[in-house]
Amino acid sequence: MPGYRIKWNERKIAELRSEGAGQGSGASYQPWLQSHMLSSQGRTHREPSWKTGRTHHLFSDVEHRLFLLLEWQRDVVDVREQYPLDRELTKEVALSLNLRHPVYPGTKCPAVMTVDLMVTRLVNGEYVYEGYDAKRAEEAKNQVSMDKLEIHATALRAMGMSHTVVFHTEIPLRTVRNIQWIRSAAALAGTEQCLNEFDRHKEMFVTELCEQEEMQSFFEFCRAYDKKHGLPQDSAFRLGCWLLQYGPLSAELGLQRMPDVPISSFVSNQDSMEVRHAV
């Protein structure tokens, strides 16, 4: 359990609940724990969501990478980090499993157990909820950590939800880096002036990209597109990344660096412009 700047007791837990911690969804969600509560910032990340507009508080590199992978998936409409489980439920589960329920360091106060990421998917018009914990592979050898994960899994099953543990060795780093590349370029493309320019080019860009027979990398195609249409340098690359992020294009991201991805791997999804959000 991480060290905290705050002193945990029942009064503090009630105070956080009254302030809305662990409640809401989409843009209104407030994580139970935020980075400023930790005594050491460590490898924390504050990552803005392009689906909800909210900034996420992620407490490790593994958590951050898993968040990027999950939010990239088209049917994921919301990711809520540091999601609190009902304490009465986790206490009952721990008792049934003959496991010790965690307490806050230096106290006898039962901890509010949190799942790293609670994912909302929209599947066939229905919302489906899934819990994920992101861990270093070494934690599989730590019995205390595994006991906590067992409590998480059992509690979520009781709530009708699935639970998945993802270890750092299972995360495809090249895919994550390409997603980061796309997110950065798409963010630069997100100004009103750029979007107005892109609106005139998006259909033409997708058509030319998917009809191109010459063997080219994505970057080579974008450089040629800028020159052909008289656009400022890197405009087409940012447009392409924006289209990848928001749906009209898809590509295999796990094989090569984003600029080197062959255009033959791109697929048009011209009817996929809408980005759905949690409600």
Side-chain angles (χ1 to χ4, degrees):
M1 183 174 293
Y4 299 101
R5 293 183 184 275
I6 60 178
K7 183 178 180 179
W8 287 99
N9 50 42
E10 295 297 339
R11 182 176 178 179
K12 184 61 180 179
I13 291 171
E15 178 186 323
L16 286 174
R17 284 178 176 152
S18 70
E19 293 172 352
Q23 300 168 47
S25 62
S28 69
Y29 175 70
Q30 297 182 47
W32 180 256
L33 299 173
Q34 298 186 34
S35 55
H36 71 267
M37 296 179 176
L38 301 184
S39 58
S40 172
Q41 293 300 298
R43 296 290 296 177
T44 58
H45 300 262
R46 291 170 58 85
E47 184 71 43
S49 166
W50 56 274
K51 289 189 174 179
T52 68
R54 184 174 65 81
T55 297
H56 292 253
H57 296 251
L58 304 158
F59 289 175
S60 70
D61 289 341
V62 193
E63 214 172 290
H64 181 232
R65 290 165 185 165
L66 181 58
F67 166 78
L68 293 174
L69 285 172
L70 289 169
E71 189 177 54
W72 186 256
Q73 296 173 16
R74 299 306 178 200
D75 62 350
V76 169
V77 295
D78 195 13
V79 181
R80 289 175 286 177
E81 75 280 18
Q82 321 309 330
Y83 184 85
L85 300 174
D86 180 84
R87 245 191 338 169
E88 294 307 311
L89 174 59
T90 58
K91 285 160 67 176
E92 289 177 12
V93 166
L95 184 63
S96 71
L97 296 173
N98 198 29
L99 297 174
R100 181 183 178 186
H101 192 281
V103 297
Y104 289 112
T107 77
K108 295 182 179 180
C109 179
V112 176
M113 302 187 74
T114 57
V115 176
D116 290 339
L117 303 170
M118 177 62 73
V119 170
T120 306
R121 296 185 189 274
L122 187 59
V123 181
N124 297 324
E126 300 287 336
Y127 289 114
V128 176
Y129 302 96
E130 304 168 346
Y132 288 82
D133 279 305
K135 304 300 176 188
R136 299 279 309 173
E138 305 89 80
E139 292 195 55
K141 299 177 182 178
N142 184 309
Q143 192 57 52
V144 173
S145 294
M146 298 311 292
D147 288 348
K148 290 178 184 177
L149 292 174
E150 187 173 359
I151 295 172
H152 285 187
T154 306
L156 286 168
R157 282 198 298 270
M159 297 165 64
M161 303 177 189
S162 65
H163 177 255
T164 303
V165 180
V166 179
F167 293 109
H168 80 281
T169 51
E170 301 175 285
I171 293 178
L173 289 181
R174 174 153 286 169
T175 300
V176 170
R177 289 176 183 136
N178 279 339
I179 290 172
Q180 289 178 301
W181 206 322
I182 291 168
R183 287 169 68 99
S184 296
L188 290 173
T191 66
E192 183 176 354
Q193 181 180 357
C194 285
L195 291 178
N196 288 338
E197 184 73 16
F198 289 171
D199 195 53
R200 297 192 301 107
H201 278 274
K202 60 188 179 186
E203 291 186 12
M204 187 188 316
F205 181 93
V206 172
T207 299
E208 290 190 19
L209 177 69
C210 294
E211 289 181 352
Q212 182 63 250
E213 296 181 359
E214 184 180 348
M215 293 299 294
Q216 286 181 303
S217 68
F218 180 59
F219 183 73
E220 288 170 335
F221 170 81
C222 291
R223 185 169 54 186
Y225 189 94
D226 283 339
K227 185 176 180 179
K228 177 180 177 181
H229 295 281
L231 296 174
Q233 185 176 350
D234 294 332
S235 294
F237 185 80
R238 292 173 184 172
L239 170 59
C241 288
W242 191 87
L243 293 168
L244 282 165
Q245 179 163 284
Y246 286 98
L249 280 177
S250 58
E252 171 55 58
L253 300 180
L255 300 178
Q256 294 173 286
R257 298 182 323 131
M258 188 64 231
D260 300 328
V261 172
I263 60 173
S264 58
S265 75
F266 283 76
V267 176
S268 170
N269 309 305
Q270 286 278 26
D271 58 347
S272 184
M273 279 299 295
E274 178 184 6
V275 178
R276 291 177 173 149
H277 300 273
V279 295

